[in-house]
Amino acid sequence: MENSRELKFESPSFITRIKGMLGVDFYRLFHTPLFYIFLGIAAIIPAMLIAMTGMSGPNGEPSTPLFTNVWQAIAADTPIYGFEGIEKYANMNMVFIFGGIMVSIFIGHDYKSGYVKQLFTTHAKKEDYMISKSLTCAFAMACMCITYLFGAVVAGLLTKTSFSVNVGNLVCAILGKVVMSLGWASLYTFLNIIFRRYFGVSIASSFFFGTGVLVIGVGSIVGNTPLLNFFLYGSSVFACLTSTLLNVIVCLIVSVAWAGIYITVGSHILSKSDVY
């Protein structure tokens, strides 16, 4: 009697699955006007902030400049803690506010179009969805940081604002902001998983957390505790114009920690609930 042969179907490896999902997500990202609109918004923000520097008061007298240096539109001069100098948050951190809105629209379209239903019918790994969305949106927010930088430089040239800076510190400040994109993107992906049935609420929650109001408010009550600033708002605290390579490493650690936590919890929520 012939031995029957059993066909064995091996499930795709983790790398294969992620590459496939990333390919789809990046294709959708590059082929939607949303991505390019928000790149433009990111470039306009520093131009508006720097343009305010040269504005005069109501009676023609010189107003107090918002920035005395172009690079202050990128990062604060020194680390910011808690409620200290709230106006100093008006820099590249604003990318993370508008980036949150972009993530909400991008993920919201998955549910509105029925893409998620189709995806989870053939692709059961919920963590793959969380990872792919977090990485794709982190890339989009990093690109927004670059266009923000470009907008600041152009605005600085037009307004003849000072460009003096320690180049090494500036590069570290920019890198610190960029690597934080992963942490912010994973947070926004997580929020949109929680409020997936309520598009307006997901946008509002992303905006609320992006402003850092919650962390600033807690800081104003409990004080400038190192743990609060280190983990919850490391971007603003450590990515400044006195940053060093060590500060970049801290931002990277914080960002990866955020991503790991939110992806894990978000995947658990998806696996235990109706995702449609």
Side-chain angles (χ1 to χ4, degrees):
M1 184 176 63
E2 295 183 358
N3 293 327
S4 60
R5 296 181 179 180
E6 181 181 352
L7 296 177
K8 295 182 180 180
F9 297 94
E10 295 184 0
S11 60
S13 66
F14 171 76
I15 298 298
T16 301
R17 298 196 313 266
I18 291 298
K19 286 177 63 177
M21 293 198 69
L22 284 174
V24 173
D25 281 334
F26 274 107
Y27 179 86
R28 294 178 61 241
L29 180 69
F30 291 138
H31 287 80
T32 175
L34 173 72
F35 176 53
Y36 303 100
I37 289 172
F38 276 89
L39 288 182
I41 291 174
I44 293 172
I45 294 171
M48 294 178 62
L49 292 174
I50 293 174
M52 293 172 60
T53 298
M55 294 176 62
S56 300
N59 299 319
E61 74 278 5
S63 61
T64 302
L66 183 62
F67 303 125
T68 58
N69 187 290
V70 169
W71 307 119
Q72 290 172 332
I74 303 299
D77 290 321
T78 56
I80 309 171
Y81 293 96
F83 200 68
E84 172 191 349
I86 192 169
E87 73 282 353
K88 295 180 182 179
Y89 288 89
N91 51 47
M92 193 178 281
N93 290 330
M94 297 181 71
V95 164
F96 303 127
I97 300 176
F98 290 93
I101 298 174
M102 182 201 67
V103 173
S104 295
I105 298 174
F106 185 63
I107 295 180
H109 185 263
D110 285 356
Y111 290 90
K112 185 177 180 180
S113 65
Y115 169 72
V116 166
K117 183 176 182 179
Q118 178 185 4
L119 174 66
F120 288 123
T121 300
T122 58
H123 194 107
K125 300 291 185 179
K126 307 301 188 298
E127 62 269 22
D128 294 355
Y129 179 83
M130 288 291 300
I131 293 172
S132 180
K133 280 293 181 291
S134 296
L135 292 177
T136 304
C137 293
F139 171 83
M141 292 172 69
C143 289
M144 288 176 66
C145 289
I146 301 304
T147 57
Y148 182 102
L149 176 63
F150 179 77
V153 171
V154 172
L157 291 172
L158 293 176
T159 58
K160 298 181 180 179
T161 307
S162 172
F163 278 86
S164 62
V165 72
N166 181 299
V167 176
N169 294 143
L170 174 64
V171 170
C172 288
I174 295 172
L175 288 176
K177 301 287 186 184
V178 171
V179 299
M180 286 298 298
S181 295
L182 176 61
W184 284 108
S186 61
L187 167 62
Y188 294 136
T189 301
F190 172 73
L191 291 174
N192 279 274
I193 290 302
I194 295 178
F195 301 114
R196 57 191 177 277
R197 293 188 179 89
Y198 309 98
F199 181 61
V201 176
S202 68
I203 291 181
S205 65
S206 294
F207 180 83
F208 175 77
F209 282 95
T211 60
V213 170
L214 180 63
V215 179
I216 295 172
V218 173
S220 67
I221 297 173
V222 304
N224 297 325
T225 62
L227 180 61
L228 175 68
N229 290 288
F230 174 83
F231 188 71
L232 292 180
Y233 218 59
S235 168
S236 289
V237 173
F238 294 104
C240 62
L241 296 180
T242 56
S243 292
T244 63
L245 184 59
L246 178 61
N247 300 123
V248 177
I249 294 174
V250 169
C251 287
L252 180 61
I253 292 173
V254 171
S255 190
V256 172
W258 277 19
I261 292 172
Y262 290 125
I263 288 173
T264 300
V265 178
S267 300
H268 178 74
I269 292 174
L270 281 177
S271 65
K272 298 296 182 181
S273 59
D274 179 10
V275 298
Y276 308 136

